[in-house]
Amino acid sequence: MPRVEAGPEKQAPTTWHDRPQEEALETLGASAEQGLVDPEAAARLARYGPNRLPEPKRQGPLVRFLRQFHNLLIYVLLAAAATTAALGHLVDTGVIVAVVFVNAVIGFIQEGKAERALAAIRDMLAPKATVLRAGHRQTVSGDEVVPGDIVILEAGDRVPADLRLLDIRGLKIQEAVLTGESVAVDKTTTPVVVEAPLGDRSCLAFSGTLVAAGQGRGVAVATGAATELGQVSALIAEVQSTTTPLIRQMAVFAKWLTLFILAASAAILLFGLTLGDYGFSELFMAVVGLSVAAIPEGLPAILTVTLAIGVQGMAARHAIVRRLPAIEALGSVSVICSDKTGTLTKNEMTVASVATARQLFAVSGTGYAPHGGFALDGHDIEVSGFPLLGGLARAAFLCSEAELTGQDDDWHVVGDPMEGALVTLAHKAGLDPAVERGAHPRTDAIPFDSQHRFMASLHHDHSGQAAIYVKGAPERLLEMCQWQHHDDGRMEPLDIDYWHRRADAIAAEGQRVLAIASKRTPWEHSALRFDDVADGLTLLGLVGLIDPPREEAVAAVADCRAAGIRVKMITGDHAGTAQAIARQLNLENTRDVLQGAEIDGLDTEALSRRAAEVDVFARTSPEHKLRLVEALQQGGAVVAMTGDGVNDAPALKRADIGIAMGRKGTEAAKEAAEIVLADDNFATIAAAVKAGRTVYDNLKKAIIFLLPVNGGESLSLIIAILFSLTLPITPVQILWINMVSSVVLAMTLAFEASERGVMRRPPRAPGEPILSAFVVWRVAFVSLLFCGGIFGKFALAQAQGASIEEARTVAVNTLVVMEIFYLFSVRYLNDSSLTLRGVIGTKPVLIAITAVTALQFLFTYAPFMEAFFDTRPLSLLEGLQIVAVGVAVMLILELEKRLRQRLLGPGRKENPQNSMTARPHRS
């Protein structure tokens, strides 16, 4: 990965992990003992700039509001509004403009809510840093650190810049935010090979990472945008984002609908002028009426409201949706690429197994919460029956410095995460940390160091006994041990082959292995030296530690697989650990693991094939994650990427849907994502997929509901124009229907519950058009029914002696009543609507029907409405005839459902997921 070197104006790329520290200091013109002098530090600050990441570009409120109008259907509506205004039809204009404005306001408010919910400190760099200036320690602002500064690190510090380490003492750094490594990394000062991946560059400390334990000193080799953190930020800026399937399909649909309406209107205008009996003014108004009738004015508003309702439902499930269409796009996802650490796992180390000289115990519970127990051969056991188990837990705890804080299930570690897991183990063994530390106070200790690879502590109790406890790498402690502790309390010679087999078996499960040993010592012993622990130790046992999968994530993965969604794990962690977690999660392919170095050797086509086959990817960098997402998309997958680290951000942005963790996620990840999980729970994704599919189903029902209404109106006008008949409905009456009754009734479909089996069907197939064969058939069939109802009632009313105005009032009311009965039918595309559940409807349906009925009575009988719409009051007989037409339409549609099911068979029922999707494309 590029690094920086001092230059006359800017930091030039180079590498530092393969260089001796003397060469690094010489290149940077720095002194390890003196650091920089203030004038030189000021000059470098002016030359290289402040040590902070570039602020992301943000759109102001005005731009965000205007962006809501960037939609072809909105442009068509605005053109219609301008046309009606030019013709003096200000009522029509006002209604259209109101719909467009409401649509924009809803989208603007929702985006504003999401941005406020994500408001947080965005600076990933340390607010303060300790440096050497002219031989003296100084505390400076983090953004004043420059290349060549000697930076001093202590436990709890956030690393302010990329450092080449010069000297260390037990230094451990938590790098999960950048590399995905689940445990703190032991640092060294020894150079590594130039090809070493990011997670193996142990002689470097990276900006934005956290010092978990120990102390260290290093020279700053990169600051600001030139750091690894800054490289990721630059990568994010270069990544092209995508549009969601729905937005893509709606844009195509709007384009073709607009072209069809304009072409049809022009053809009919030409026909009427050459062959018809209309005057130009009358014909032009009829064509305008046809255009208004054909445009589904309410569709953008219904689209926005349906998405907003889905977003509100997800907010109740602790998911913040930053962009409205993202909620629907989740319903079309076919692959979920998830980071491991902190997403599928809790990023909290846990002791999963304990091995003694004769037994292997399983440890239950996850994270740092002190809840859980022990099992032997699948059966729960009491620690009191196994004294060695309790003794091992006590020794591991006393030889640790970490502490736990929290309550219930919300616990945190202060100190090294691995030691935190040992403290939790002591709790599970029934030990009280405060009591144990009081009964066995520590007298001295040898801190952990990566060179000797162990920690030792000396303790004296209150009964004249003293003991040394040691923990460290198994291969190191096995060299130091002479004895092993038998389960029955006896001491016996060390069986080194047995312990190697045990350690290998535990490691094969993806667990980090730690050995625990002890040694009795005289009471007079007060200072601990290396010679005291060089040999003669008694091995108590081994502990296996792992960052286990979240319990809810296991169930969520099962739900996703049942829904036809492939879950893939992409992590910077080691292959063995990743594979073990994959087995526990029950991913589809846990046999194969593709590592970052192997990804580098594959071309685009080969990677696309391997990415589709493999479900576990390990030792990956941000570039690898980005390539994997692009490779899957190239293969036709709709990809959701989840993650919480800075290293996840580029892939989050490139994925069709980026999902960031809200609690433990970095600000960079949240900025790159469309959806943020406030509870950091992978299981929320499965619920979001279900919500997304439901939103899509409901949007499709709304389209199937609205288009026949527009189709019936348009057909009636076309027939009237072509055959020189009186228009059965005027343009302003069409607007009333489209913007009042149609919109109000269609809105109720946004509240429909999930269809049966919504999570037991595969994702929508990429590339299917918005108008499937079923949608085209249903729109055409219902449009003909509506057209027949409009013309039939208009002609019947005139035959019964009604005036043109009264006959048009009958036609309008007939269309509205047909809409009401059609609403009951469209709520169940496959199942019968003639059931108690179907007839009663939902609360929104009943409210909407009541509102529309009241508005139609107002439309028909209010004197002031006559002035606007040229209506006339109707008789009771006419009203009953109108209702009869609605009942007849519903019965015909129910008969059509049954015939369609018989012809196609039960397995070919219309799947609401299978008609509207396309591959997202780069925007």
Side-chain angles (χ1 to χ4, degrees):
M1 177 58 79
R3 274 295 183 268
V4 299
E5 138 183 305
E9 296 296 337
K10 62 180 181 179
Q11 305 175 57
T14 187
T15 59
W16 297 97
H17 55 278
D18 59 329
R19 298 187 179 196
Q21 52 187 264
E22 295 80 10
E23 182 181 341
L25 289 167
E26 182 181 353
T27 302
L28 291 164
S31 167
E33 293 75 24
Q34 297 295 315
L36 300 176
V37 294
D38 287 338
E40 176 62 18
R44 295 190 183 196
L45 182 63
R47 185 183 307 160
Y48 301 131
N51 177 34
R52 54 172 175 256
L53 299 180
E55 285 288 331
K57 294 181 180 179
R58 300 186 183 280
Q59 295 177 327
L62 179 60
V63 175
R64 285 199 298 116
F65 181 71
L66 294 177
R67 193 176 61 204
Q68 310 302 322
F69 296 91
H70 184 52
N71 180 291
L72 186 56
L73 275 179
I74 297 296
Y75 295 151
V76 173
L77 289 177
L78 291 174
T83 303
T84 53
L87 295 172
H89 297 272
L90 298 182
V91 173
D92 305 13
T93 303
V95 173
I96 296 175
V97 170
V99 169
V100 171
F101 183 76
V102 169
N103 174 75
V105 168
I106 290 173
F108 177 77
I109 291 175
Q110 176 58 38
E111 287 188 9
K113 285 181 179 179
E115 292 303 321
R116 287 193 298 274
L118 292 171
I121 298 173
R122 303 184 188 278
D123 193 352
M124 285 292 298
L125 299 179
K128 297 290 182 182
T130 303
V131 298
L132 273 182
R133 294 279 171 88
H136 300 288
R137 289 173 61 122
Q138 291 185 20
T139 299
V140 300
S141 174
D143 59 10
E144 294 178 7
V145 175
V146 297
D149 257 328
I150 303 301
V151 179
I152 299 170
L153 300 176
E154 295 181 349
D157 288 348
R158 191 171 292 279
V159 181
D162 283 2
L163 309 178
R164 173 59 171 92
L165 295 172
L166 304 176
D167 55 73
I168 59 169
R169 181 173 172 81
L171 184 64
K172 291 187 174 186
I173 296 182
Q174 178 58 261
E175 296 180 346
V177 67
L178 191 62
T179 66
E181 187 85 24
S182 56
V183 297
V185 178
D186 296 320
K187 289 299 179 178
T188 68
T189 59
T190 306
V192 297
V193 296
V194 68
E195 298 86 5
L198 193 64
D200 293 339
R201 298 176 187 178
S202 57
C203 61
L204 299 182
F206 299 113
S207 172
T209 58
L210 187 67
V211 178
Q215 301 85 38
R217 192 166 54 127
V219 59
V221 297
T223 60
T227 63
E228 283 292 345
L229 196 63
Q231 297 291 333
V232 175
S233 297
L235 187 60
I236 296 171
E238 296 170 3
V239 172
Q240 293 177 304
S241 55
T242 60
T243 54
T244 67
L246 179 67
I247 295 302
R248 168 71 170 158
Q249 284 298 89
M250 289 301 292
V252 173
F253 173 71
K255 179 181 72 175
W256 286 109
L257 180 63
T258 302
L259 291 175
F260 174 77
I261 292 171
L262 294 177
S265 298
I268 291 172
L269 179 63
L270 181 63
F271 175 86
L273 289 175
T274 55
L275 301 176
D277 297 330
Y278 291 100
F280 176 80
S281 178
E282 184 182 5
L283 181 62
F284 188 79
M285 278 304 301
V287 171
V288 169
L290 171 62
S291 301
V292 171
I295 296 173
E297 292 92 344
L299 187 56
I302 292 169
L303 170 65
T304 302
V305 170
T306 304
L307 292 174
I309 291 170
V311 166
Q312 291 174 3
M314 286 313 303
R317 294 184 174 96
H318 308 290
I320 300 168
V321 181
R322 301 183 64 199
R323 298 288 181 268
L324 284 179
I327 183 65
E328 177 279 331
L330 267 176
S332 62
V333 163
S334 58
V335 174
I336 296 177
C337 294
S338 178
D339 179 44
K340 176 184 72 69
T341 306
T343 306
L344 291 167
T345 69
K346 298 180 72 173
N347 195 16
E348 296 177 0
M349 294 301 293
T350 300
V351 175
S353 59
V354 177
T356 61
R358 295 291 185 274
Q359 311 286 359
L360 179 62
F361 299 91
V363 186
S364 61
T366 60
Y368 299 126
H371 311 308
F374 299 83
L376 181 62
D377 298 328
H379 302 287
D380 294 338
I381 56 102
E382 294 292 333
V383 178
S384 58
F386 298 85
L388 178 56
L389 186 58
L392 183 149
R394 178 180 290 106
F397 163 71
L398 291 175
C399 192
S400 301
E401 297 179 340
E403 295 183 3
L404 293 182
T405 61
Q407 57 184 358
D408 299 328
D409 292 325
D410 187 19
W411 289 80
H412 308 277
V413 64
V414 179
D416 181 72
M418 191 174 293
E419 291 192 346
L422 298 179
V423 177
T424 301
L425 177 70
H427 277 282
K428 294 175 181 178
L431 303 179
D432 185 322
V435 172
E436 293 299 325
R437 286 204 170 105
H440 307 276
R442 180 183 296 180
T443 308
D444 198 8
I446 298 175
F448 180 89
D449 187 273
S450 57
Q451 292 182 340
H452 56 254
R453 301 172 69 195
F454 68 83
M455 174 185 174
S457 59
L458 173 63
H459 299 263
H460 291 74
D461 63 19
H462 303 294
S463 59
Q465 302 292 321
I468 300 171
Y469 298 114
V470 187
K471 74 175 191 300
E475 56 271 25
R476 182 71 178 95
L477 260 66
L478 287 175
E479 297 173 356
M480 301 158 62
C481 289
Q482 182 179 358
W483 310 94
Q484 65 188 32
H485 207 300
H486 194 279
D487 292 59
D488 61 9
R490 291 183 293 109
M491 304 277 285
E492 59 185 15
L494 183 71
D495 184 351
I496 194 167
D497 292 335
Y498 165 81
W499 291 109
H500 277 304
R501 290 195 303 272
R502 276 292 193 198
D504 291 343
I506 294 174
E509 295 298 318
Q511 299 175 21
R512 308 294 176 93
V513 186
L514 202 62
I516 311 296
S518 67
K519 183 179 183 179
R520 290 293 177 185
T521 190
W523 171 259
E524 298 78 17
H525 193 173
S526 61
L528 194 57
R529 297 184 298 272
F530 280 94
D531 291 344
D532 298 326
V533 295
D535 54 27
L537 299 183
T538 299
L539 188 63
L540 301 178
L542 306 175
V543 295
L545 301 101
I546 196 168
D547 179 18
R550 297 170 180 266
E551 295 175 356
E552 61 273 17
V554 178
V557 169
D559 288 341
C560 290
R561 291 188 61 183
I565 300 171
R566 191 86 174 254
V567 179
K568 297 179 181 290
M569 183 170 66
I570 308 176
T571 178
D573 213 337
H574 296 279
T577 304
Q579 194 170 30
I581 295 297
R583 284 195 293 265
Q584 294 178 48
L585 288 166
N586 195 28
L587 298 187
E588 186 169 329
N589 179 6
T590 59
R591 303 179 307 278
D592 302 322
V593 179
L594 191 64
Q595 300 195 55
E598 298 172 274
I599 294 174
D600 289 332
L602 297 176
D603 59 25
T604 302
E605 184 177 345
L607 181 59
S608 181
R609 290 196 303 269
R610 288 292 286 156
E613 299 167 355
V614 177
D615 288 342
V616 184
F617 304 89
R619 302 310 272 172
T620 57
S621 68
E623 290 86 351
H624 294 144
K625 294 186 177 186
L626 181 57
R627 282 194 68 198
L628 286 169
V629 169
E630 291 176 336
L632 288 166
Q633 290 174 328
Q634 181 182 351
V638 180
V639 181
M641 173 72 192
T642 75
D644 62 347
V646 175
N647 57 329
D648 300 319
L652 286 172
K653 184 177 179 182
R654 182 62 184 88
D656 302 304
I657 295 294
I659 307 170
M661 303 296 113
R663 295 174 62 186
K664 294 184 179 179
T666 61
E667 198 61 37
K670 297 176 193 176
E671 287 290 339
E674 287 83 17
I675 297 176
V676 178
L677 304 185
D679 59 355
D680 286 11
N681 192 341
F682 183 86
T684 305
I685 298 174
V689 169
K690 181 178 180 180
R693 292 186 174 189
T694 301
V695 165
Y696 186 87
D697 289 353
N698 292 344
L699 283 173
K700 179 183 177 183
K701 291 175 183 178
I703 291 173
I704 294 175
F705 176 81
L706 285 175
L707 292 187
V709 176
N710 296 104
E713 295 166 345
S714 302
L715 279 176
S716 63
L717 294 182
I718 290 172
I719 291 173
I721 294 171
L722 292 179
F723 293 98
S724 299
L725 303 175
T726 303
L727 295 180
I729 305 178
T730 65
V732 72
Q733 290 172 341
I734 289 172
L735 267 178
W736 167 266
I737 296 170
N738 288 359
M739 303 312 303
V740 179
S741 62
S742 295
V743 170
V744 171
L745 293 173
M747 285 289 186
T748 66
L749 297 171
F751 296 90
E752 288 294 301
S754 301
E755 296 256 335
R756 289 185 299 175
V758 69
M759 290 296 284
R760 292 294 181 271
R761 64 193 188 202
R764 302 197 305 269
E768 288 193 5
I770 192 169
L771 296 178
S772 66
F774 168 77
V775 174
V776 172
W777 157 252
R778 175 55 68 94
V779 170
F781 181 63
V782 180
S783 295
L784 289 172
L785 289 179
F786 282 10
C787 179
I790 291 169
F791 256 114
K793 285 301 298 175
F794 179 75
L796 179 61
Q798 284 189 307
Q800 293 175 341
S803 63
I804 292 178
E805 293 78 11
E806 184 179 351
R808 283 174 172 166
T809 305
V810 169
V812 170
N813 279 282
T814 299
L815 181 53
V816 171
V817 168
M818 287 190 294
E819 282 185 285
I820 291 174
F821 281 93
Y822 181 45
L823 176 66
F824 282 99
S825 176
V826 83
R827 289 180 62 225
Y828 305 100
L829 295 176
N830 297 312
D831 299 330
S832 174
S833 299
L834 298 178
T835 62
L836 182 61
R837 183 183 65 163
V839 171
I840 293 177
T842 62
K843 185 177 180 181
V845 168
L846 298 179
I847 292 174
I849 291 175
T850 302
V852 168
T853 302
L855 288 171
Q856 281 306 119
F857 272 97
L858 187 71
F859 173 87
T860 305
Y861 298 104
F864 69 89
M865 296 297 277
E866 180 179 339
F868 285 108
F869 298 102
D870 204 17
T871 58
R872 297 293 186 271
L874 304 179
S875 65
L876 177 61
L877 179 60
E878 288 173 317
L880 293 175
Q881 291 175 346
I882 290 171
V883 172
V885 173
V887 173
V889 167
M890 183 172 181
L891 292 176
I892 292 172
L893 290 174
E894 288 300 300
L895 180 62
E896 180 263 348
K897 283 184 189 177
R898 293 198 175 188
L899 290 175
R900 177 163 46 86
Q901 290 175 12
R902 286 187 179 183
L903 290 174
L904 298 179
R908 293 287 303 277
K909 290 184 179 182
E910 167 61 14
N911 184 344
Q913 290 284 96
N914 289 339
S915 56
M916 293 185 270
T917 190
R919 275 286 319 136
H921 69 122
R922 293 182 175 183
S923 58

